[in-house]
Amino acid sequence: MRQNVSKREREEGAQQLGDPRHVTRRRAEEGGVVAAPRAVGMARAGPARAPCAFGRLLGPAFGAAAPELLEAALLRLAADNERRLRDLPAAAGCFREPRATELIFLLAEKWRLDPPARYQAAEIFDRFMIKQVQEMYNSTKESGESSEQGYSHSWNSLKAQMHNTFMLRLASCIQLASKLSFHYSIVNNNMVLKFLQSLDYSFTKQELLESELAVLKGLHFQINVPTPLAYVELLLEVLGHNGCLLSLKQLHEMCVHLLDLTYLMRDVIYNTLLKTSIENSTPNELQIAKFLSVKEDFMLLAAGIIGTSAFILNPEHWNQVVEHLNCITGITSQSMFEFLYAILKHSLGTTPTGTNARQME
């Protein structure tokens, strides 16, 4: 993704941080790929959620946050994004692969969880499994196995152990996410046991509790972290404050659909994005490695999702939404167009052409 913001423009934007209508951040380009956005850390920021009967939520209530709160929340989310990307493990996103994500989403729907919980569950599961694999691998290396055969046997044993607890860990991550999101819809042990028994697993309630504790300890109890949906909702709140002409409720609904789609088609969408951004259909290993920071950039994902949603709902307003997003995040319209292209290509089997493409110029 190409960077079109000059150093002087970035400095001028940084001087405007006092005005929440012009909150910008710096972007850098490394090897032809935009580096991840820079950012501070908060667990949850953005619009409040409106309650309704039976403990279910109607969705975010936009327009309630004060401008000063929006600015502070946006800066903290940006800083959190930067810190997370700075410490990004090489295997980040490996356990967000489509089959695991689809199962998490289906279980979240079965157990009547709202969108924040399913995204939180997917992120908790990915982070925990990466740590677990790394710890298992390290313990195998430190076991003192001298022969290649002994090392292989030890590693295979650990992999079998991980395979046997895979579904248990996945369910535990959903349980924890349900407790973080809304206390109205907690996934209890009986619900999880019934699901696991349907798959011929015979775990006990004690083992469920131990599994939840294992996830918490594995992540050092740091499980309430911002998900891409938090970025989407905060940017929508700022767009509303800045006078966006589109309905925020409709935009939010479309964003959730496209965010689901991006999670479920992560690999193909980001592969297209990589090839488009480097203008080459055969990226080399270095370009693929550097692109990881783009794949894990939640601010870029949120801006791309909102821009694409605006185009689908009303192409005539795309330019206005993208201009606002550029002022808020510093992400270029070219980057958002490339994201739009990748999503439309794999979701609708089409790309912006003709009149629609000219409207974006």
Side-chain angles (χ1 to χ4, degrees):
M1 306 195 139
R2 291 171 286 279
Q3 173 56 275
N4 298 326
V5 181
S6 69
K7 180 180 179 181
R8 181 178 61 80
E9 290 172 325
R10 290 198 300 268
E11 290 174 348
E12 290 176 351
Q15 294 171 357
Q16 297 172 328
L17 288 177
D19 182 353
R21 297 172 65 90
H22 299 285
V23 179
T24 61
R25 64 171 175 76
R26 290 173 308 216
R27 300 279 297 180
E29 188 174 62
E30 299 174 357
V33 177
V34 172
R38 306 297 174 229
V40 167
M42 68 186 304
R44 175 77 180 159
R49 292 186 172 270
C52 69
F54 310 113
R56 300 291 289 166
L57 300 186
L58 291 173
F62 293 106
E68 299 78 15
L69 179 60
L70 286 180
E71 181 184 0
L74 186 58
L75 288 173
R76 293 188 66 187
L77 266 189
D80 181 86
N81 198 41
E82 177 182 356
R83 183 173 56 251
R84 187 178 56 82
L85 290 165
R86 184 176 61 244
D87 302 329
L88 203 62
C94 284
F95 287 92
R96 249 186 267 128
E97 59 92 23
R99 289 178 298 177
T101 299
E102 183 178 14
L103 179 56
I104 289 173
F105 283 10
L106 288 173
L107 285 174
E109 183 177 4
K110 173 183 174 66
W111 291 331
R112 297 177 59 78
L113 300 181
D114 289 275
R118 66 171 177 258
Y119 299 126
Q120 192 69 267
E123 296 303 322
I124 293 173
F125 182 69
D126 180 59
R127 291 169 55 224
F128 171 74
M129 292 302 294
I130 290 171
K131 279 188 174 290
Q132 185 182 46
V133 170
Q134 186 63 54
E135 289 172 0
M136 285 183 168
Y137 178 74
N138 291 340
S139 66
T140 302
K141 291 179 65 177
E142 295 169 1
S143 63
E145 295 284 359
S146 56
S147 67
E148 182 177 342
Q149 183 178 3
Y151 175 84
S152 177
H153 173 76
S154 180
W155 176 236
N156 287 336
S157 175
L158 289 173
K159 285 197 296 183
Q161 177 186 341
M162 186 175 68
H163 180 267
N164 292 335
T165 59
F166 184 88
M167 294 301 295
L168 175 62
R169 297 292 188 253
L170 184 144
S172 293
C173 291
I174 298 176
Q175 273 190 289
L176 289 170
S178 75
K179 295 172 183 178
L180 287 174
S181 294
F182 315 112
H183 64 272
Y184 314 105
S185 306
I186 290 177
V187 177
N188 61 47
N189 288 339
N190 290 331
M191 297 163 68
V192 175
L193 282 176
K194 184 177 180 181
F195 162 68
L196 293 173
Q197 288 168 0
S198 71
L199 301 178
D200 294 327
Y201 289 105
S202 56
F203 294 111
T204 65
K205 286 188 177 182
Q206 181 62 32
E207 287 174 317
L208 292 187
L209 293 173
E210 291 173 355
S211 178
E212 280 192 272
L213 186 59
V215 174
L216 288 170
K217 287 183 176 180
L219 297 176
H220 305 291
F221 292 85
Q222 296 178 6
I223 60 171
N224 192 14
V225 297
T227 67
L229 182 62
Y231 288 78
V232 166
E233 290 181 346
L234 182 57
L235 290 179
L236 287 177
E237 181 77 18
V238 177
L239 283 175
H241 176 78
N242 289 0
C244 177
L245 298 178
L246 290 174
S247 162
L248 293 184
K249 184 177 183 296
Q250 290 181 337
L251 258 182
H252 181 266
E253 291 174 354
M254 182 59 69
C255 284
V256 171
H257 290 313
L258 292 184
L259 194 54
D260 282 352
L261 178 71
T262 304
Y263 265 78
L264 295 171
M265 301 184 69
R266 169 184 165 87
D267 291 339
V268 293
I269 287 175
Y270 277 104
N271 284 341
T272 297
L273 195 58
L274 170 59
K275 294 173 184 178
T276 303
S277 65
I278 65 174
E279 299 180 344
N280 191 328
S281 60
T282 55
N284 58 43
E285 291 184 5
L286 179 60
Q287 289 170 322
I288 293 173
K290 286 186 174 182
F291 195 71
L292 179 63
S293 64
V294 176
K295 293 176 71 173
E296 294 298 315
D297 184 342
F298 287 175
M299 190 70 79
L300 173 63
L301 173 58
I305 289 292
I306 294 172
T308 304
S309 298
F311 177 80
I312 292 175
L313 291 173
N314 192 330
E316 294 181 359
H317 291 314
W318 188 85
N319 278 327
Q320 187 224 30
V321 171
V322 166
E323 286 173 5
H324 278 300
L325 289 172
N326 173 251
C327 288
I328 296 165
T329 67
I331 298 171
T332 65
S333 59
Q334 179 65 32
S335 295
M336 284 180 266
F337 178 78
E338 289 169 358
F339 211 101
L340 165 68
Y341 176 90
I343 292 179
L344 292 185
K345 179 178 180 180
H346 295 291
S347 61
L348 303 179
T350 185
T351 55
T353 57
T355 303
N356 289 339
R358 286 193 296 274
Q359 289 172 342
M360 299 178 177
E361 295 176 355

